[in-house]
Amino acid sequence: MDAQQVAQVTEMMYALRNPAGIPTFPIIFIGLGVLTFALHILFVQLMLGTSAITLYGAFNNNAYWRRLGAAMLEIAKVSVSVAIVVGVAPLLFVQVVYDPHWYTSNVLSADWVIAFIVILILAYWAMYYYYFQNGKNQDKTVQPKSRWSMITSLILMLVVGFIMHSLTSQILHPELWKEWYMQNGKLDYSGTQLHAYNIWRYAFFISMAIPVTGAMLVTYRRFKSVREDADHDYLNWAAEVGKKWIKVGSVISTVLYVAWMATLPETAGNFATSVWGILGGVAVIGYALWAQLRLKGEARFCSYMALPMALVIGLVVAISREMLRYDILNGFFNYNFMDYKIVMDWYSTGLFFLTFAIVGGVVLSYFLTIAWKSGQTVGVYTPGATVNKLGTLSIWIVALWIVQFFVVGFYVWAQ
Ligand code: HEM
């Protein structure tokens, strides 16, 4: 592309920018976008990996695999909901600072964006169908019923992920947007096509399901081992599978990461050999080394570190991924999200962080405490006075939040 063509693309992107500006510093949106993307992809990977174990268990006659499959289904179910909830957050952030890119990409593939929701609902239903068919048969040796629904669920989840991947890839090619819109001299309003993808990048993010799920297996052993009815032979076996998955999975993912870096578009310049390009891959292979060093034997403390470590590695990759976007859009096309017009709104900025810290903090602590304790209790768990107080506090905080929402809303409306 010559300088004039690049200038045209730059101008087009700025023309598409929302003239109303944004309510706080753009770097805050990017920071939160990266953080929440790391959380999103962690739960996506957990959901895919635990679903795969569920399936493997369903087709295997080995009693341990059967049992592990049933146990991982419980985690898969929860992970899908968490992945969806924490998927919304990066979506909100990316559409604020990269609105010209996000919306163009969405409009160009509008049918797929709508299909995304429908496919996701079907995938979730299929998983629950399998669960309802087999939920009561946990740990039993009978062959699970309706295995087709679990296969369907996993395939559809992968399709959903591919749609997201393609939308993200299209963002990186503003030079092609017009071409995609005007095909063979005709305007294509249909939105029926996904125009860009990088199979290595997609495979890399999906493959990280292997080490992340390995981390879950190691954590599973540690968590369940304190129960009075713990079957240590089975749990130790599961943790050994987990360690293997972390090590082998990290190597596979590193290879795919390198393949992704080797197939970057020309507009990415030297990103692959830049600090961030290298750091992403080093972090992934570093996970295998960490597991080799820190997960020896029972690893009572480090077992609980396996998932947080996976999150840290995911975060490094998420930063690299964001730097790649910045390098292409700013480095090559001179579009800088940092020069977005700011119309400072301290109230909404403050409310966001307070909601995150106080509402999120207290309510989440309550939920997690209940989930943690009931998972480690044999039979029915009855919360003590402190946990009950935390529950009451959570309800009050949420109620207060709703009240302030309406009070401020009516106040602003009445102005
Ligand atoms: C449950 C199935 C899902 C899977 C398997 C999945 C998978 C993925 C993958 C692989 C990526 C990385 C794409 C890339 O960088 O190449 C991604 C990014 C993303 N996903 Fe998901 N996702 C799922 C659901 C969702 C949902 C329900 C939402 C939100 C409503 C969501 C929002 C996002 C966002 C905002 C990004 C980043 C976009 C960007 O930074 O450009 N995802 N997802």
Side-chain angles (χ1 to χ4, degrees):
M1 286 181 83
D2 61 34
Q4 200 187 350
Q5 283 167 319
V6 172
Q8 273 175 0
V9 175
T10 316
E11 199 185 330
M12 172 187 73
M13 287 188 286
Y14 275 101
L16 288 166
R17 188 184 260 193
N18 184 356
I22 54 175
T24 193
F25 308 108
I27 193 72
I28 291 186
F29 287 101
I30 285 287
L32 289 169
V34 169
L35 180 68
T36 50
F37 170 73
L39 281 169
H40 168 61
I41 208 71
L42 180 81
F43 281 96
V44 162
Q45 286 153 351
L46 259 184
M47 153 199 113
L48 294 175
T50 49
S51 295
I53 293 187
T54 302
L55 256 183
Y56 190 70
F59 280 93
N60 203 307
N61 287 328
N62 178 303
Y64 279 180
W65 274 112
R66 275 271 164 84
R67 200 167 152 187
L68 192 64
M72 289 303 118
L73 178 59
E74 300 290 335
I75 296 171
K77 264 184 338 170
V78 178
S79 300
V80 188
S81 359
V82 182
I84 294 171
V85 173
V86 290
V88 177
L91 187 122
L92 298 180
F93 298 125
V94 80
Q95 67 158 1
V96 171
V97 275
Y98 281 127
D99 53 328
H101 314 81
W102 180 253
Y103 288 113
T104 305
S105 181
N106 274 239
V107 170
L108 280 166
S109 307
D111 280 4
W112 288 98
V113 177
I114 297 166
F116 170 88
I117 314 267
V118 179
I119 299 171
L120 184 56
I121 292 173
L122 291 177
Y124 210 1
W125 275 355
M127 185 185 285
Y128 263 91
Y129 183 74
Y130 179 81
Y131 172 72
F132 288 136
Q133 290 287 309
N134 301 293
K136 291 202 178 75
N137 289 333
Q138 270 180 46
D139 297 4
K140 303 268 163 46
T141 43
V142 291
Q143 195 183 65
K145 286 184 273 183
S146 310
R147 293 178 292 189
W148 60 266
S149 63
M150 200 58 210
I151 300 177
T152 311
S153 174
L154 187 55
I155 293 174
L156 293 182
M157 293 285 182
L158 288 170
V159 174
V160 169
F162 189 79
I163 297 174
M164 257 310 146
H165 161 71
S166 181
L167 292 176
T168 304
S169 302
Q170 291 175 177
I171 288 179
L172 304 179
H173 290 286
E175 79 281 12
L176 297 174
W177 293 348
K178 279 189 187 161
E179 211 173 286
W180 291 336
Y181 193 46
M182 174 79 87
Q183 302 213 358
N184 307 321
K186 268 172 93 190
L187 279 180
D188 179 10
Y189 299 112
S190 70
T192 51
Q193 285 185 52
L194 289 172
H195 300 275
Y197 62 89
N198 177 331
I199 206 67
W200 302 112
R201 172 174 172 152
Y202 173 71
F204 162 73
F205 280 113
I206 301 301
S207 74
M208 281 292 286
I210 310 171
V212 165
T213 307
M216 179 43 103
L217 294 180
V218 172
T219 313
Y220 171 66
R221 187 256 310 262
R222 175 69 183 85
F223 182 70
K224 291 288 184 193
S225 66
V226 298
R227 284 175 60 127
E228 287 158 19
D229 61 349
D231 176 349
H232 292 284
D233 286 343
Y234 158 69
L235 290 175
N236 286 340
W237 167 82
E240 287 311 312
V241 173
K243 287 180 199 174
K244 211 180 294 162
W245 279 37
I246 299 181
K247 290 178 212 164
V248 177
S250 300
V251 174
I252 295 175
S253 297
T254 310
V255 172
L256 291 168
Y257 182 88
V258 173
W260 168 22
M261 288 298 124
T263 50
L264 289 179
E266 270 178 31
T267 48
N270 296 327
F271 182 83
T273 49
S274 71
V275 173
W276 284 111
I278 294 172
L279 215 58
V282 169
V284 178
I285 195 72
Y287 197 29
L289 293 176
W290 178 83
Q292 180 68 22
L293 292 173
R294 307 299 302 167
L295 293 179
K296 286 197 180 115
E298 271 219 34
R300 292 191 70 74
F301 174 71
C302 285
S303 291
Y304 276 145
M305 287 306 294
L307 279 172
M309 273 305 285
L311 178 61
V312 170
I313 282 141
L315 200 58
V316 176
V317 171
I319 297 173
S320 297
R321 174 181 174 277
E322 203 55 60
M323 289 306 288
L324 170 66
R325 178 151 52 191
Y326 189 67
D327 260 25
I328 294 178
L329 296 180
N330 179 54
F332 190 88
F333 291 108
N334 308 314
Y335 178 91
N336 193 353
F337 73 85
M338 298 278 267
D339 59 19
Y340 219 117
K341 175 176 149 199
I342 301 169
V343 182
M344 201 64 197
D345 179 347
W346 284 110
Y347 184 80
S348 72
T349 306
L351 180 67
F352 173 81
F353 282 105
L354 287 177
T355 305
F356 200 68
I358 301 176
V359 184
V362 176
V363 178
L364 214 65
S365 309
Y366 176 64
F367 284 159
L368 289 177
T369 311
I370 295 275
W372 184 277
K373 299 243 178 188
S374 53
Q376 289 194 335
T377 307
V378 181
V380 177
Y381 161 68
T382 316
T386 319
V387 178
N388 271 338
K389 265 192 206 141
L390 194 61
T392 313
L393 188 67
S394 303
I395 294 173
W396 274 108
I397 287 177
V398 172
L400 260 175
W401 193 96
I402 295 172
V403 170
Q404 76 77 37
F405 177 83
F406 282 106
V407 168
V408 175
F410 278 119
Y411 174 77
V412 173
W413 174 69
Q415 290 296 299

